[in-house]
Amino acid sequence: MKYELTIHDAMEAKGTIDLGRLARIAHGITKVADGALQLRLRGLSFGPGRPSKEKMALEEAMRITLVGMREGSTVLDIECATFEETLPIIQLDAFRSEDQSALKHTTPMGLFIETYHIALDPDGRKDLLDRNLLKELRDFRKAFRGPNERMTIANRGSVRKLELDKQAFQRIHDLEVTIPAPSLVVINGHLDMIRHSKALIEIRPEKGKAIEGFLGKDLTMEDAQQFFGREVTVKGMQHVRADGKRVVEVQQLFEPTAGDSYFSRSTVSETVEQQLQRQLLKKAGKPARSIAGKWPGDEDLETILRMLDE
């Protein structure tokens, strides 16, 4: 597919681009697309438990080619193939089977555009974002030089045009800070494989909702199979997506002992500020600073949220 990336009000002369900026654009697009695809396939965008691109055969899938440059501010002509063409050996039902048909027909550039739309749209699917992926979205601002520059990316009508400017990156930062950092957890519960998936497992504690998990780099599905349908103790790193959903990167699996259920920890520690930011963005698309200074400081979270409607 063909795409156009246009730099508006660029500091360079029309039809030209600094090689350093071009390198940042190429790096940023590839990182966002790679992370977005990995999150869909594995449940985590970046991290030590994520297989390398070589192991997952993603090197060819992430190939994006600059085929030309022209004036009209500065316009970069970009081409890339669909994942259906470049991922013939990857089972695209590895994470969310209901979404994989659409994923097959998109491209790295299409995934880059879609991921920004999800982050910037208050009603976007925040389960397709995590803290590290939002950081990569925000870091793309380093490809901008002038204070008034904008970038638009489109492919002549088949996808919704993306426009990025200084305000867009601030909104992404507002969302990023609502997500707790990854934390070590111990979970005791019933272990199962998730239906229609060959990569995800499910841990069902005695109390609370089931938790999705995926195996870290030192574990294989064969290691987990012996525990399916049984009580197990899981140790790993808990990641939180932008919608608040948890997913555990499983680092150890073993038979539970008498004290494991007592020490089982699976809660996410959110600060009051993170709770407020997440609720505000979900409710009204506003960061907490938009109502800062408008309450004395003793109101609870629900009272503060009601203030937005007044």
Side-chain angles (χ1 to χ4, degrees):
M1 288 190 179
K2 297 181 179 181
Y3 297 84
E4 294 179 352
L5 187 155
T6 304
I7 306 173
H8 303 273
D9 301 317
M11 296 190 70
E12 299 100 330
K14 292 184 178 181
T16 69
I17 188 169
D18 177 78
L19 284 179
R21 190 214 284 261
L22 183 61
R24 285 195 177 277
I25 290 174
H27 176 79
I29 290 174
T30 302
K31 288 286 286 186
V32 169
D34 182 24
L37 180 61
Q38 286 286 0
L39 192 146
R40 286 162 170 78
L41 295 178
R42 291 278 299 173
L44 180 67
S45 59
F46 304 100
R50 199 206 80 174
S52 66
K53 286 195 295 184
E54 290 75 21
K55 184 176 180 180
M56 291 289 288
L58 296 181
E59 191 71 46
E60 181 66 25
M62 286 298 119
R63 192 175 301 280
I64 303 170
T65 305
L66 176 66
V67 297
M69 182 170 62
R70 48 196 166 85
E71 293 186 18
S73 291
T74 294
V75 182
L76 305 181
D77 293 316
I78 298 169
E79 293 184 1
C80 50
T82 66
F83 293 123
E84 187 173 36
E85 299 172 88
T86 58
L87 290 178
I89 66 170
I90 296 294
Q91 268 191 292
L92 291 179
D93 67 349
F95 190 46
R96 288 181 176 81
S97 59
E98 68 273 17
D99 292 337
Q100 300 315 326
S101 177
L103 180 59
K104 290 179 182 180
H105 299 296
T106 193
T107 67
M109 283 298 299
L111 205 50
F112 173 86
I113 293 170
E114 180 188 359
T115 303
Y116 270 102
H117 281 313
I118 290 171
L120 295 171
D121 184 349
D123 297 321
R125 287 193 55 184
K126 299 303 188 285
D127 61 316
L128 296 177
L129 300 171
D130 63 17
R131 188 184 179 103
N132 288 329
L133 183 53
L134 285 166
K135 179 181 182 300
E136 292 299 333
L137 291 173
R138 180 169 52 83
D139 280 353
F140 191 66
R141 76 190 189 283
K142 295 175 182 176
F144 288 67
R145 297 293 173 85
N148 299 317
E149 284 185 349
R150 295 179 298 114
M151 288 190 193
T152 56
I153 308 171
N155 76 333
R156 301 173 186 175
S158 66
V159 297
R160 182 158 56 110
K161 182 170 72 172
L162 173 66
E163 180 170 335
L164 296 175
D165 56 16
K166 181 179 179 181
Q167 288 71 33
F169 293 111
Q170 182 59 57
R171 289 161 60 191
I172 290 169
H173 174 264
D174 291 337
L175 179 58
E176 181 187 352
V177 298
T178 69
I179 304 175
S183 58
L184 289 169
V185 293
V186 178
I187 305 172
N188 181 251
H190 191 89
L191 186 70
D192 282 311
M193 176 181 280
I194 291 183
R195 189 179 178 186
H196 303 309
S197 173
K198 292 188 177 181
L200 284 184
I201 59 176
E202 182 179 71
I203 308 133
R204 288 188 280 114
E206 184 177 348
K207 296 180 180 179
K209 296 181 179 180
I211 302 168
E212 288 185 6
F214 64 96
L215 301 181
K217 62 180 180 180
D218 296 324
L219 293 176
T220 66
M221 193 55 71
E222 288 71 28
D223 296 324
Q225 284 176 344
Q226 60 180 308
F227 297 106
F228 286 154
R230 298 163 51 189
E231 290 294 315
V232 66
T233 295
V234 173
K235 289 186 178 181
M237 188 68 69
Q238 182 168 258
H239 303 268
V240 182
R241 300 202 189 98
D243 64 343
K245 187 174 182 179
R246 296 172 289 162
V247 61
V248 175
E249 177 189 349
V250 179
Q251 298 170 341
Q252 289 181 277
L253 286 166
F254 49 86
E255 295 280 355
T257 62
D260 285 345
S261 59
Y262 177 80
F263 290 105
S264 180
R265 306 182 300 276
S266 62
T267 58
V268 177
S269 178
E270 284 186 288
T271 66
V272 172
E273 181 182 1
Q274 286 173 329
Q275 294 180 58
L276 179 59
Q277 287 274 20
R278 180 165 53 80
Q279 291 294 333
L280 290 178
L281 289 170
K282 180 178 180 181
K283 186 178 181 68
K286 299 180 181 180
R289 66 176 183 276
S290 67
I291 60 171
K294 298 181 181 179
W295 70 91
D298 295 329
E299 292 86 349
D300 59 23
L301 184 60
E302 290 301 317
T303 301
I304 295 170
L305 292 175
R306 284 198 298 272
M307 292 174 64
L308 291 173
D309 297 324
E310 296 176 354

